[in-house]
Amino acid sequence: MDFDVIVIGAGPGGYHAAIRAGQLGLKTAIVEREKVGGVCLNVGCIPTKAMLHAAEVMMESKHASEFGLNFADTTLDIAKLNGWKDGIVNRLTGGVSGLLKANKVTVLSGQASFVDEHTVEVGGQKHTASHFIIATGSEPARLPGVDVDQEVIVDSTGALVMPDPVPARMLCIGGGVIGFEFAQVYNNLGSEVKIIEFMPGVIPGADAEAVAEFTKIMKKQGITIETQTKANRAERKADGVHVEIEDVKSGEKRTEVFDRVLVAIGRRPRTDGLNADKAGVTVTDRGFIPADKQQRTNVPHIFSIGDVAGNPMLAHKAMKEGLVAAEVIAGKPAEQDAVAIPGVVYTNPELAWVGLTEAEALEKGYKIKKGVFPMAASGRAMTLQQTGGFIKMVVEEDTDLVLGVHIVGPRASDLLGEAGLALEMAATASDIALTIHAHPTLGEGILEAAEAVHKQAIHIVNR
């Protein structure tokens, strides 16, 4: 065999797998048909966070006069913004390439297609391996009747390129993480933004109470949100994009005009050109390649990780699965056994959660109690002028075990690590309450929520 392992796809899951395989002494290659770093580093996680930061600074500049900082009219240099964002991407992808090289991973450029269960063809050349890790990721799902042109009708990739001038009217089709993140970017930079969502609620998977608080804040910021609403078709005309919008319950239709339309209705696994069937690998009707807890597919020496392996489609899930696959191939006792996988909406404020929602805990038969600490009672949140939101802890009543933590507030994603560790280590609310947290910090809110479970929080009236 040419290699011990060939990783197909150099996104977060793929490059984690390749680097770990190299660290463990396996002769490793990684195949990438586009750019190292995959969707996440190039046109996903990283550039969107750069845009969100810029948009957050713009919003903060508008309110700085409240504490004595008076800015002249803040101007936006679109070309410089896009260039700054692209520079961050280039530094990170260059760093990943350097890490692959340092760990003696061979990079093969091109589309990987299976010839048989031990051979792939890349750029006209055949390469053999004892093991394969499929990490081909996902791509934006398409909406019939709304054709993406990456100019005025865009998916998440096209939305990253901010046009000049900023579009006056923006429609986001889809009330998930991607829809809300781009809605806030465009809203803060000057667009009038509307989100429409087919389902009765937005941000699937998040706690209902947290979502209600989150959407209330988004609406206060000027973002319009309509649920049980769909887009039937979109037509580009001289005065903008004419979108036929339908109320799902009543069937009533109307046409509205926008300057830019984002289609963010989800993602679908990417397996085109892979020819997985030639290796005997099972691909579902929806395009997923299922794997067990060791990330093995139905063909034991071929592994599947990340978005292509199944939901949730999250980079950090892919990273963990990539490490598991590499370690299993190297003969280590590893499997994907995470208690919970965190989710985040990186807006301002952020919505972040890990573990069971209140509804999920009740559905599973737990007898629960909960503690809620409002950001309005946090001294640190006050100093940041970000007092909207709360920290909610869901706990099993009989054992005091933490079942889930849900946060709406500033830097919620950074607070979530403690909660994830608590779930992984089977910590109780009392364990967290007994831990001294630095003051003043946003992290104190985790302690206060734990204390609130027992009606002993200091900075709120316990009811």
Side-chain angles (χ1 to χ4, degrees):
M1 298 292 176
D2 297 327
F3 298 96
D4 295 319
V5 57
I6 294 178
V7 182
I8 302 173
Y15 79 71
H16 271 70
I19 289 172
R20 179 54 52 87
Q23 290 172 341
L24 294 173
L26 300 174
K27 187 179 181 182
T28 306
I30 190 166
V31 184
E32 177 53 55
R33 70 181 186 182
E34 294 176 1
K35 295 180 179 179
V36 168
V39 168
C40 181
L41 267 65
N42 288 282
V43 291
C45 320
I46 297 302
T48 54
K49 304 312 164 282
M51 298 288 278
L52 281 160
H53 174 66
E56 181 180 342
V57 172
M58 175 70 84
M59 181 173 69
E60 289 178 346
S61 72
K62 295 175 182 177
H63 298 283
S65 61
E66 295 172 13
F67 50 87
L69 294 181
N70 298 301
F71 292 93
D73 290 340
T74 306
T75 60
L76 178 60
D77 186 328
I78 297 291
K80 195 166 187 177
L81 174 64
N82 286 327
W84 169 74
K85 170 202 68 186
D86 293 342
I88 293 171
V89 169
N90 291 336
R91 289 201 299 276
L92 282 172
T93 54
V96 171
S97 295
L99 289 169
L100 291 169
K101 183 178 180 180
N103 286 281
K104 300 180 180 179
V105 177
T106 301
V107 178
L108 305 173
S109 298
Q111 167 72 52
S113 298
F114 278 103
V115 176
D116 57 48
E117 66 176 31
H118 280 290
T119 310
V120 290
E121 185 174 325
V122 181
Q125 291 189 324
K126 293 180 180 179
H127 304 273
T128 58
S130 301
H131 303 85
F132 292 90
I133 300 175
I134 300 171
T136 48
S138 64
E139 60 191 9
R142 299 304 182 192
L143 180 61
V146 183
D147 297 327
V148 170
D149 59 20
Q150 300 296 34
E151 292 179 358
V152 293
I153 304 176
V154 297
D155 57 22
S156 56
T157 299
L160 283 168
V161 182
M162 182 63 65
D164 194 0
V166 174
R169 302 159 296 180
M170 173 83 167
L171 174 67
C172 297
I173 304 173
V177 173
I178 294 172
F180 270 95
E181 290 184 354
F182 278 111
Q184 190 171 76
V185 168
Y186 280 77
N187 179 65
N188 287 355
L189 296 182
S191 297
E192 180 182 328
V193 180
K194 174 179 286 188
I195 296 173
I196 62 172
E197 168 58 46
F198 180 82
M199 301 300 291
V202 297
I203 315 294
D207 182 81
E209 189 176 6
V211 169
E213 176 72 6
F214 174 76
T215 53
K216 181 181 74 175
I217 296 170
M218 293 297 106
K219 289 175 181 178
K220 282 184 179 179
Q221 293 181 6
I223 297 171
T224 301
I225 303 168
E226 296 181 7
T227 56
Q228 293 189 288
T229 305
K230 65 177 181 176
N232 291 328
R233 60 184 58 87
E235 184 179 358
R236 185 173 178 175
K237 295 185 178 181
D239 62 339
V241 182
H242 289 237
V243 182
E244 182 184 274
I245 296 173
E246 180 179 343
D247 183 298
V248 174
K249 290 189 294 183
S250 68
E252 181 180 341
K253 299 175 183 177
R254 66 185 188 274
T255 298
E256 296 186 25
V257 183
F258 301 91
D259 299 295
R260 180 165 262 206
V261 174
L262 167 65
V263 180
I265 60 170
R267 299 184 66 82
R268 61 187 183 188
R270 177 186 285 178
T271 54
D272 58 295
L274 185 62
N275 294 332
D277 57 316
K278 292 188 177 180
V281 173
T282 297
V283 181
T284 70
D285 293 341
R286 296 180 60 198
F288 291 107
I289 299 178
D292 63 16
K293 286 188 175 182
Q294 290 191 318
Q295 304 308 135
R296 294 183 191 271
T297 68
N298 63 300
V299 180
H301 67 275
I302 300 179
F303 296 69
S304 173
I305 66 170
D307 291 3
V308 75
N311 291 313
M313 292 185 175
L314 298 167
H316 42 278
K317 165 183 167 284
M319 293 171 177
K320 174 62 176 177
E321 291 175 346
L323 299 179
V324 168
E327 289 168 6
V328 170
I329 291 169
K332 304 292 183 181
E335 67 176 27
Q336 168 60 298
D337 61 349
V339 173
I341 298 172
V344 182
V345 186
Y346 291 91
T347 47
N348 183 27
E350 292 180 338
L351 168 60
W353 66 94
V354 65
L356 299 179
T357 66
E358 182 176 348
E360 288 169 343
L362 292 171
E363 287 170 8
K364 288 179 178 292
Y366 287 106
K367 188 177 180 181
I368 67 166
K369 51 188 178 180
K370 63 181 181 179
V372 178
F373 181 72
M375 287 294 179
S378 165
R380 187 70 181 103
M382 290 181 194
T383 67
L384 296 171
Q385 283 200 308
Q386 297 184 44
T387 54
F390 56 72
I391 299 174
K392 173 180 176 179
M393 186 173 293
V394 180
V395 173
E396 184 180 16
E397 184 170 319
D398 294 338
T399 63
D400 202 37
L401 283 172
V402 179
L403 301 176
V405 176
H406 311 274
I407 307 172
V408 180
R411 305 297 182 257
S413 58
D414 296 327
L415 303 181
L416 206 59
E418 178 180 2
L421 183 62
L423 266 70
E424 196 68 38
M425 296 185 68
T428 64
S430 297
D431 290 328
I432 295 174
L434 288 168
T435 303
I436 296 176
H437 290 62
H439 173 79
T441 60
L442 295 171
E444 284 178 294
I446 300 282
L447 179 151
E448 293 270 13
E451 291 277 38
V453 169
H454 306 121
K455 311 302 180 189
Q456 293 180 336
I458 296 298
H459 291 98
I460 58 174
V461 177
N462 297 276
R463 301 187 186 281

